[in-house]
C-alpha cells in the first residue's frame, strides 16, 4: 500500500527521524538510540516513511543506512506554497495599513 506523504509527517517521531536522517544517513539501530522506544517501533516508523517514498536505502555490508529522499519533500513545500502566498499577501496588507496609520498620526 502506497501511503500519502502527509501521513509520514503527521507523527512527531517520524518527523524527528526525518530530521535526523536529513543530516546524515543512519542505521535503524543508530536511530533507535535517539528515542525512548524499541528498535521494532523505530522500524515500523521507517517502514511508513519508506512507503511514503521519503527514504533512500543503502546497503553497506550487513547494515542498511537510511537517508532522506529530498525531492519527495518538495511535495510538502509545494502544498505549503499556496498558504505562504496567502499569508505573505496578508502581511503586506498589514504593513501597508501600519505605514498609513503611522503617516497619518498627528
Amino acid at each position: 500500500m502506497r501511503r500519502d506523504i502527509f501521513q509520514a509527517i503527521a507523527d512527531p517521531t517520524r518527523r524527528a527521524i526525518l530530521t535526523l536522517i536529513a543530516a546524515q544517513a543512519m542505521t535503524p539501530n543508530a536511530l533507535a538510540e535517539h528515542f525512548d522506544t524499541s528498535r521494532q517501533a523505530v522500524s515500523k516508523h521507517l517502514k511508513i516513511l519508506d512507503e511514503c517514498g521519503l527514504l533512500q536505502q543503502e546497503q553497506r555490508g550487513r547494515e542498511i543506512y537510511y537517508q532522506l529522499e529530498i525531492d519527495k519533500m518538495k511535495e510538502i513545500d509545494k502544498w505549503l506554497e499556496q498558504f505562504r502566498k496567502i499569508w505573505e499577501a496578508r502581511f503586506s496588507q498589514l504593513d501597508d495599513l501600519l505605514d498609513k496609520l503611522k503617516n497619518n498620526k498627528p
Side-chain angles (χ1 to χ4, degrees), residues 52-101:
C52 294
L54 285 167
L55 299 180
Q56 293 177 357
Q57 297 180 27
E58 182 184 343
Q59 186 83 34
R60 296 183 200 165
R62 295 185 306 164
E63 296 286 343
I64 296 175
Y65 284 78
Y66 291 94
Q67 60 188 19
L68 183 62
E69 178 62 62
I70 294 186
D71 288 337
K72 190 68 174 174
M73 293 295 289
K74 290 179 184 176
E75 283 184 37
I76 297 167
D77 187 52
K78 184 179 176 183
W79 183 77
L80 287 172
E81 182 63 26
Q82 62 186 326
F83 301 104
R84 190 177 298 117
K85 287 178 182 177
I86 291 168
W87 283 105
E88 285 175 358
R90 289 182 181 177
F91 284 131
S92 180
Q93 290 172 347
L94 180 60
D95 284 340
D96 292 344
L97 177 63
L98 292 174
D99 285 341
K100 185 177 177 181
L101 291 173

